[in-house]
Amino acid sequence: MWRMMAAVVLPVLAGGPAVAEDIASPHALTFYAGRISAEETWHDVLLKPWSSHYADSYIVTGAYSRAYRESREGALRTEFEINATYNFGDQNHWELNVAPISLRWSRFPWSERIRTELAFGVGLSYAFEFPRVEYELENDTQRLLVFWMLEITAGPRDAAWSAVLRLHHRSPAWGLMGVADGGMNAPSLGVRYEF
């Protein structure tokens, strides 16, 4: 697993500004809330976001991220993120998610009118208690899983804040984490502030 992560991390870290101080507004705080989907897979959630198949379990998340590389003339940022998520409803526990690699693209044809970003990040997720809703939905899970997020933001062109639509995902990564099933998907809404 560590070799695979190194193969992804090292090429991304090569080149570009060495420190975040070379990047305008490298820090960001993101707050979002969502509901855990009962759909089988993450792509079912993306294809059927209006589905009524949801668990009675919710998340609230506070995240800090920092850009450490910029490329493509500022269009692509490489960031890390750490977030604390509280699960409530049918399960009540905290989870900690760390994504050392997040890629954020910010150049779109409409960027002169609406600032839009598309981001994807991957790392690890640790639930401080056994996530029983994940077990009920997937028939297996564990406390340590892979974390990834897929996010789109939109906001005023010159503002520091933007609205966030995010898919918060915990995954066994096709058995890489030692279990065949488990994890969860939580479509979420929130706000992001860059500084």
Side-chain angles (χ1 to χ4, degrees):
M1 178 174 121
W2 297 114
R3 287 182 188 165
M4 182 180 76
M5 288 189 79
V8 172
V9 171
L10 293 177
V12 172
L13 293 178
V19 293
E21 287 76 21
D22 295 337
I23 301 170
S25 304
H27 309 277
L29 296 173
T30 306
F31 300 95
Y32 60 92
R35 187 172 181 185
I36 295 178
S37 173
E39 293 291 342
E40 249 182 69
T41 64
W42 62 267
H43 42 84
D44 289 330
V45 175
L46 291 178
L47 294 174
K48 299 182 274 186
W50 56 86
S51 167
S52 62
H53 298 107
Y54 283 89
D56 287 326
S57 193
Y58 305 84
I59 65 167
V60 176
T61 302
Y64 167 76
S65 60
R66 181 173 180 172
Y68 54 84
R69 180 177 179 225
E70 209 170 59
S71 57
R72 303 284 181 161
E73 297 174 354
L76 180 64
R77 283 187 173 193
T78 307
E79 308 171 340
F80 78 82
E81 176 180 300
I82 183 167
N83 73 58
T85 297
Y86 184 67
N87 289 257
F88 63 98
D90 284 348
Q91 62 183 10
N92 294 286
H93 66 265
W94 285 94
E95 70 184 61
L96 182 66
N97 303 292
V98 179
I101 297 292
S102 294
L103 300 176
R104 182 171 299 275
W105 182 261
S106 62
R107 185 176 299 145
F108 294 94
W110 55 86
S111 292
E112 288 298 315
R113 294 181 303 280
I114 299 173
R115 186 169 59 96
T116 306
E117 297 174 338
L118 181 64
F120 177 80
V122 65
L124 293 173
S125 175
Y126 182 77
F128 286 87
E129 292 181 20
F130 185 78
R132 63 183 187 86
V133 168
E134 293 178 14
Y135 185 83
E136 290 168 5
L137 292 174
E138 300 286 336
N139 299 316
D140 200 3
T141 197
Q142 63 185 20
R143 290 164 68 170
L144 181 65
L145 291 177
V146 167
F147 166 76
W148 64 254
M149 65 83 173
L150 180 63
E151 172 184 288
I152 187 163
T153 69
R157 188 162 94 48
D158 296 322
W161 67 271
S162 54
V164 172
L165 176 62
R166 178 183 276 210
L167 181 62
H168 178 110
H169 179 72
R170 280 176 38 90
S171 171
W174 300 287
L176 179 68
M177 300 304 292
V179 291
D181 289 312
M184 62 85 157
N185 299 288
S188 305
L189 292 172
V191 65
R192 174 181 167 89
Y193 179 77
E194 295 181 355
F195 59 100

